[in-house]
Amino acid sequence: MAPPLIAVIDHGAGNLVSIGRGLQRAGADVRIASHPDELEGADGVVLPGVGATATVMAGIRSAGFETALREWTLPLLGICVGMQVLFDRSSEDGARGLGLIAGRVEPLADAPHLPHIGWNELSTVPDPLFDGLPPRPEVYFVHSFAPVPTSSDVVIARATHGGEFVAAVRHGNTIGTQFHPERSGEAGLSILDNFVTATVRAPA
């Protein structure tokens, strides 16, 4: 059986090399997609993002991915700002997101300093994304904002930096991590492996 094909979206603001290598280590074939047509045949999609939500959304629209992402039904993993644009809107710059998950993006509350950079523990709920991980895995963050979902039912992990914030979400096949699994050592590799496994199990 051929390995699953994961498309990593190139919208001009993402860490494509590290994410691609991590997915390959997890057993996937990787395609860097710079046009929506290159999503054809993919078993899953990774949406990276660094910087500001408005910049990432502008890149997504400019490359023609907005409609394709809204219509995508197979597993989708948004990372960092790629997670934030899954939501309706960000207070960082007023940018409208993809609206795949109801909610908004807000600054970290009561943070001792910003940005929040470095390793931090997750408090997780049972979810296939965290299969095989210890109860409080450590992962790597670089951010000043985080999503505030309309429904807490989508929250699968939280972390604390001053106040508590949402660190991972799932709404059906749409998953987001505020942390960077591609920079999170063995825990991050396990998370990417679980995502790749989910693409094999997802209904067509």
Side-chain angles (χ1 to χ4, degrees):
M1 180 170 144
L5 174 62
I6 308 297
V8 179
I9 292 183
D10 180 7
H11 51 74
N15 184 10
L16 306 180
V17 174
S18 295
I19 292 170
R21 287 175 179 166
L23 290 166
Q24 287 170 341
R25 287 186 63 192
D29 283 341
V30 175
R31 174 190 295 161
I32 304 300
S34 56
H35 188 276
D37 289 349
E38 294 174 300
L39 302 185
E40 185 174 352
D43 300 296
V45 165
V46 172
L47 176 60
V50 296
T53 50
T55 302
V56 171
M57 281 303 303
I60 288 170
R61 293 190 181 106
S62 176
F65 281 109
E66 185 171 16
T67 298
L69 287 170
R70 285 183 170 153
E71 295 177 350
W72 186 258
T73 59
L74 294 176
L76 165 64
L77 173 62
I79 296 174
C80 196
V81 182
M83 171 193 184
Q84 295 175 10
V85 299
L86 300 177
F87 288 82
D88 296 315
R89 189 170 293 276
S90 174
S91 67
E92 179 179 10
D93 41 30
R96 181 174 58 87
L98 294 167
L100 300 180
I101 303 176
R104 64 193 188 280
V105 176
E106 298 287 352
L108 295 180
D110 302 319
H113 55 80
L114 292 174
H116 170 216
I117 301 176
W119 295 84
N120 204 340
E121 286 187 347
L122 294 179
S123 174
T124 65
V125 302
D127 186 272
L129 192 67
F130 304 124
D131 283 354
L133 271 69
R136 298 187 70 86
E138 287 197 346
V139 294
Y140 192 83
F141 291 88
V142 183
H143 66 125
S144 298
F145 291 77
V148 180
T150 300
S151 171
S152 62
D153 291 347
V154 303
V155 179
I156 58 174
R158 298 179 185 272
T160 301
H161 180 65
E164 189 178 67
F165 65 89
V166 172
V169 293
R170 175 191 292 276
H171 179 59
N173 278 332
T174 302
I175 306 163
T177 65
Q178 185 57 66
F179 57 90
H180 288 267
E182 79 280 5
R183 300 178 65 181
S184 297
E186 291 303 315
L189 181 60
S190 293
I191 287 168
L192 291 177
D193 184 71
N194 288 334
F195 175 73
V196 170
T197 298
T199 68
V200 177
R201 296 175 178 170

